[in-house]
Amino acid sequence: MEALRVSSVHSLGLIPAKLDTKTQFGKLISLSVKPTFCSAQWYSNASAKFKLFTTISSTVSTDVEVGTETRADGEFDWYSQWYPVMPVCDLDKRVPHGKKVIGIDVVVWWDRNENAWKVFDDTCPHRLAPLSEGRIDQWGRLQCVYHGWCFNGSGDCKFIPQAPSDGPQFHTFKKACAAVYPSTVQNDILWFWPNTDPQYKDVLSEKKPPFIPELDDPSFTSSMGNREFPFGYEVLLENLMDPSHVPYAHYGLLRTRQPENKADREGGKPMEMKVRKLDINGFVAKPDWVGTNEFISPCLFYSHSRPLPGTGNGAASSVETKGSSVKKEMALIFFAVPVSPGKSRLIWAIARNFGVWIDKIVPRWIFHLGQNMILDSDLYLLHVEERKILESGTKWQEACFVPTKADALVVGLRKWFNMYAGGQVDWRGKFNGALPPSPPRDQLMDRYWSHVVNCPSCNSAYKVLNILEVVLQLASVALIGVLALTKLGATSIVKRTTIVSLAILCFAASKWLACFVYKNFHFHDYIHAFR
């Protein structure tokens, strides 16, 4: 299971081998374990003999058995799918939240009258002001702060301050209503359906988001996180599916199993990656170690160690605690959310049935320190890569040279795009195809706006540490002041030395803390040449 840990977990690199804080919490969740999670829909035709997806020479042979739900190119409907918006643990019930998903601006808010999260179009019908800049009023309604119009959880306008009470009831007009998207909370994640047409009001009874049992299993604990990225959804998914970059892009941050005969310092090696059953719903992939990877279109990619049907009883992949029959299990779940061209959002969840106590006593922000460092280590590479592909003026398959089987999952993803999704995300004409300009490196890799403001745990830690920094500075000044104002005799040299030492320690600690806060909550450059 070490191979699964390294190549599946570390394909994104969310579990660090070490943190700048010198803590060892990363090691506690990077144990070799057996994740178990399968989707029944993938295995209903288990007896079928799948043809394998292989990579050969300068081109890739895409000999794949296509499922029965095949459609013509471009017929995957991007707007008839459930999309994850945010983990509910990262949403504040006191305020509206503005988010963008698949090019749509939405406002997420907690309706205490219905005891449910709501997703509206982020537009007030009055003058099109953003409702996400509003507030929740004393009656639990969403209020637009431009002119005070108020809406209930169904989108009905309940109050227009400018309308005379004895005049026409303008708030009852259909045009006064806010547009409401179908939404649901599943696996502690808020999902929405990107269509406000009333015919989709009860779409949840016909089609549900993909369900992940481990996230609802009380014997499991799950560590969630989210981050915005300055590169597109397709590039993010490729990175999730690419284990061979781990020993290079994340060198020094992650422990990887080294081959017996190392060809280089990092220990890269050939990988036997095989894609099975690719259809409009995604695909199943079988790596050359124990385990299975699944892509469920359009957002979900996860890894587990349960074998495919007909490939064995799974005994070889079992991991048991000594003296116990309890198996350690882990599910690694990644949601790649299309935001807009050149921008994406990652929601990750690491569910496990061991070390459950760790999440109860260790705050999430401690884990996020190392996880963000790993995300930073290939962020700039992916941002530049996306632009170079666009600048090439050719299709991905022509611009990129992918001759080895290690790239099979990435090529399988691109094959899925070409066969079912028209080769790209359908933005419905909202964008001209150009990527946003590249900001300076420190802005590009900024952690505060891409993660900290959207993570209550990290945001709280950031505020507390900033306060502590100020307290240490004040303590240093106060100690010097005490020394200056106090008349100490010649026999008080020990007291004077003690006070000066404390003042110096407080000042040094404040400077160290300022550096720690900036490095872990704002910008931490990653220079591969020095690794």
Side-chain angles (χ1 to χ4, degrees), residues 501-518:
S501 299
L502 287 175
I504 293 174
L505 285 174
C506 287
F507 180 76
S510 71
K511 290 299 182 182
W512 177 88
L513 190 58
C515 180
F516 175 86
V517 169
Y518 181 76

Side-chain angles (χ1 to χ4, degrees), residues 488-498:
L488 299 175
T491 59
S492 302
I493 187 170
V494 175
K495 292 182 179 180
R496 290 200 301 270
T497 302
T498 301

Side-chain angles (χ1 to χ4, degrees), residues 260-438:
E260 293 182 2
N261 300 314
K262 292 179 62 174
D264 55 21
R265 178 191 66 168
E266 294 79 7
K269 61 180 181 179
M271 293 185 177
E272 188 78 19
M273 307 288 288
K274 304 171 184 178
V275 172
R276 306 169 183 251
K277 190 187 177 184
L278 187 150
D279 62 22
I280 198 168
N281 296 311
F283 58 76
V284 176
K286 181 68 178 70
D288 62 354
W289 52 86
V290 176
T292 304
N293 296 327
E294 296 189 41
F295 167 56
I296 298 180
S297 61
C299 297
L300 176 59
F301 178 75
Y302 68 94
S303 300
H304 57 83
S305 65
R306 187 171 178 179
L308 291 173
T311 59
N313 59 15
S317 64
S318 297
V319 177
E320 299 183 0
T321 306
K322 289 185 178 180
S324 171
S325 60
V326 177
K327 296 178 181 178
K328 294 179 180 179
E329 300 178 354
M330 178 183 285
L332 307 167
I333 306 106
F334 308 116
F335 298 95
V337 183
V339 174
S340 61
K343 294 185 179 181
S344 58
R345 179 181 307 117
L346 172 67
I347 299 172
W348 71 84
I350 304 174
R352 65 186 190 281
N353 68 348
F354 62 96
V356 176
W357 59 272
I358 298 174
D359 289 347
K360 296 180 179 179
I361 63 174
V362 179
R364 277 201 306 159
W365 70 271
I366 294 292
F367 295 103
H368 288 177
L369 295 183
Q371 292 165 357
N372 275 308
M373 185 194 311
I374 295 164
L375 293 172
D376 282 339
S377 62
D378 56 12
L379 186 153
Y380 185 76
L381 301 174
L382 298 172
H383 176 81
V384 174
E385 171 189 303
E386 180 176 41
R387 279 152 176 75
K388 287 186 177 295
I389 292 174
L390 183 64
E391 290 170 2
S392 71
T394 62
K395 295 180 180 180
W396 183 91
Q397 290 82 352
E398 299 172 1
C400 299
F401 178 56
V402 284
T404 70
K405 295 182 179 181
D407 290 314
L409 271 68
V410 175
V411 180
L413 175 66
R414 289 293 177 172
K415 180 177 178 66
W416 177 85
F417 265 100
N418 291 335
M419 291 183 64
Y420 303 106
Q424 61 184 0
V425 177
D426 178 12
W427 302 109
R428 289 194 171 176
K430 293 187 283 290
F431 305 98
N432 59 12
L435 296 175
S438 293

